[in-house]
Amino acid sequence: MGKQLSPDGQRSVAAIDRIDRLSMIQSLLTENNGLDLDTPMIPSAPQEIEQIRTVVESVTGFHPERLDTFHETAEGLPSPIDADSTEILKAAVTVERYLRQNTEKAVSDVEFVRCASRNLLRTDGACLDATFPDVERISLVGISSLPAAHADLLHAILETTQVPVHTHLRRGTESYLSRRLPDLLNITKPGTVVFDS
């Protein structure tokens, strides 16, 4: 759905796969390029760095407000966890920025979801009507977690259309997600990222 709701010029763009991301991260580690990833908390294996990037992407969507919240929360933790958490956040943003600057493709499929959120806001929901003219409702079924990018997409749909959204959460995490969902939806400009591109 993310790619289908993206602007026409971005629908044909592909995403780099995990293997390509790992190769690019290895190049980043080898070249360094003045990027500060050489800290005790940051692993030296590309797979582990990619895992950090993926988790931060899932939790924040690289949205400025969520990154600020992450940073503020990290600063409030006891030492040395505060410094370690800040290093992890900085590394994830650094790696994402590097990947974006060194490929013309999307860094991951999640970027299409963020792009769809931005396009929904830009078109005031018209892209959903044009792409899915017969849609009666949107259902999110059987989820045990809700990545930030998907929360942003739901937010954009709710903000720009009259299409009802139904969420059906898994029993084990339903109580937690029900409490968290309002906070996930409570941001401005869903799909926005801190990067220029």
Side-chain angles (χ1 to χ4, degrees):
M1 181 178 201
K3 207 167 193 181
Q4 293 164 302
L5 293 177
S6 296
D8 290 339
Q10 295 179 352
R11 290 182 191 173
S12 61
V13 175
I16 57 176
D17 63 20
R18 184 172 186 274
I19 300 300
D20 289 336
R21 285 194 301 274
L22 293 177
S23 176
M24 293 173 73
I25 292 169
Q26 182 61 54
S27 295
L28 170 63
L29 293 172
T30 303
E31 298 164 9
N32 197 357
N33 292 332
L35 301 172
D36 186 18
L37 292 177
D38 189 20
T39 61
M41 189 59 208
I42 306 306
S44 59
Q47 296 90 341
E48 294 173 12
I49 292 174
E50 169 62 6
Q51 182 63 34
I52 288 171
R53 188 204 65 78
T54 301
V55 169
V56 170
E57 179 179 55
S58 179
V59 172
T60 69
F62 295 111
H63 190 285
E65 291 175 29
R66 290 194 189 104
L67 288 172
D68 286 346
T69 299
F70 190 121
H71 185 71
E72 289 168 13
T73 302
E75 286 183 331
L77 296 171
S79 181
I81 299 169
D82 57 344
D84 292 349
S85 300
T86 300
E87 286 179 14
I88 287 171
L89 178 62
K90 183 179 175 185
V93 172
T94 297
V95 169
E96 178 76 10
R97 181 173 283 116
Y98 173 83
L99 293 171
R100 285 170 172 263
Q101 291 171 347
N102 287 281
T103 184
E104 293 186 13
K105 296 181 178 181
V107 171
S108 70
D109 288 334
V110 177
E111 180 57 30
F112 299 123
V113 178
R114 288 191 293 258
C115 187
S117 299
R118 293 189 300 268
N119 198 36
L120 277 160
L121 293 177
R122 186 182 63 76
T123 66
D124 197 29
C127 66
L128 182 70
D129 293 334
T131 307
F132 302 106
D134 298 324
V135 68
E136 295 178 11
R137 80 184 63 77
I138 294 175
S139 296
L140 199 57
V141 180
I143 58 171
S144 58
S145 66
L146 185 59
H150 291 86
D152 284 359
L153 183 61
L154 293 180
H155 182 170
I157 291 168
L158 291 168
E159 189 171 311
T160 61
T161 73
Q162 297 298 313
V163 176
V165 175
H166 300 271
T167 57
H168 304 277
L169 310 172
R170 288 192 180 161
R171 187 175 312 207
T173 54
E174 178 178 17
S175 175
Y176 170 75
L177 283 177
S178 294
R179 289 190 314 271
R180 279 290 294 137
L181 196 54
D183 289 336
L184 287 171
L185 297 175
N186 189 26
I187 61 158
T188 56
K189 297 183 180 177
T192 301
V193 293
V194 295
F195 310 103
D196 293 335
S197 59

